[in-house]
Amino acid sequence: MARNIQSLERAAAMLRLLAGGERRLGLSDVASSLGLAKGTAHGILRTLQAEGFVEQDPASGRYQLGAELLRLGNSYLDVHELRARALVWTDDLARSSGESVYVGVLHQQGVLIMHHVFRPDDSRQVLEVGAMQPLHSTALGKVLSAYDPVAHGEAVEGERTAFTPRTVTGLDDFESVLDLTRARGWAADVEETWDGVASVAAPIHDRRRMPVGAIAISGAVERVCNGGGELRSELIAAVRDCARAVSRDLGAGRF
């Protein structure tokens, strides 16, 4: 059985200690409460402070939880709130479009699928919650890259693999795709990631008007596109309406 890392256990205990008190704690308080030498406690506190997890009051020298923990906590809550708000709307979108529906969020250097509604037919399908998709080629990824500066940086600095002959890999061409995405409010993926598969996606915003995810439908090219190979306009409108509805539920107001 793998052994736990003692320094991480101590850091976690320190954060719980600071979270449980109603006042700032001094170095001696932290060390004695956790049974640590002052030097050991100070080293851990200094590291947590450098990472933004702990703050030190300059006047008293006492420690309290830092803003980075709040940011991480809000991100956790945002993802779960996003899924909760999207449940009804994505079910409706799957029924009206007849296609699979995905909700994705930025995670590391890709798109994490955090909600997936099956295509409403009797075909055999695999649940893709937890799967990762690339930023540069998928409709979800392009939307996130167009609206989220962090996602944009990841897509620009990362490797843009050519999955099919239609994948856009050049930086200038990719930036042009993102400009077009922002101009029209949605992104397309027509056989850029998987042969025979087309997708359309739109951004989801929160109450701060910040992009928190994207919603997409995906299906066979012959169903999602018209005879000319263009995405069906009614599907584009349906995805955008769904994204707006989820955004409104998150407090974003009208877009």
Side-chain angles (χ1 to χ4, degrees), residues 44-102:
I44 296 173
L45 284 167
R46 188 174 55 208
T47 301
L48 291 172
Q49 183 180 0
E51 296 298 327
F53 297 133
V54 164
E55 295 174 356
Q56 186 178 27
D57 179 62
S60 67
R62 292 176 175 270
Y63 295 91
Q64 63 184 17
L65 294 181
E68 183 64 11
L69 280 175
L70 177 62
R71 187 189 70 82
L72 293 176
N74 284 340
S75 297
Y76 175 83
L77 292 174
D78 285 347
V79 168
H80 285 267
E81 184 181 7
L82 172 58
R83 184 180 184 279
R85 299 291 186 179
L87 286 176
V88 174
W89 297 110
T90 50
D91 283 348
D92 288 345
L93 180 59
R95 281 193 295 269
S96 64
S97 68
E99 301 296 342
S100 300
V101 177
Y102 299 88

Side-chain angles (χ1 to χ4, degrees), residues 58 64 156 180 235 244 249 255:
Q64 63 184 17
V156 167
L180 179 60
L235 294 182
R244 291 190 189 106
D249 278 1
F255 271 81

Side-chain angles (χ1 to χ4, degrees), residues 22-41:
E22 296 182 1
R23 57 185 176 85
R24 299 184 181 99
L25 297 177
L27 174 59
S28 296
D29 300 322
V30 173
S32 62
S33 296
L34 299 179
L36 300 175
K38 281 188 178 181
T40 301

Side-chain angles (χ1 to χ4, degrees), residues 130-157:
M132 293 291 294
Q133 293 187 2
L135 282 169
H136 70 285
S137 62
T138 61
L140 288 169
K142 292 176 191 176
V143 164
L144 292 174
S145 299
Y147 288 92
D148 185 336
V150 176
H152 178 264
E154 297 287 1
V156 167
E157 296 171 9

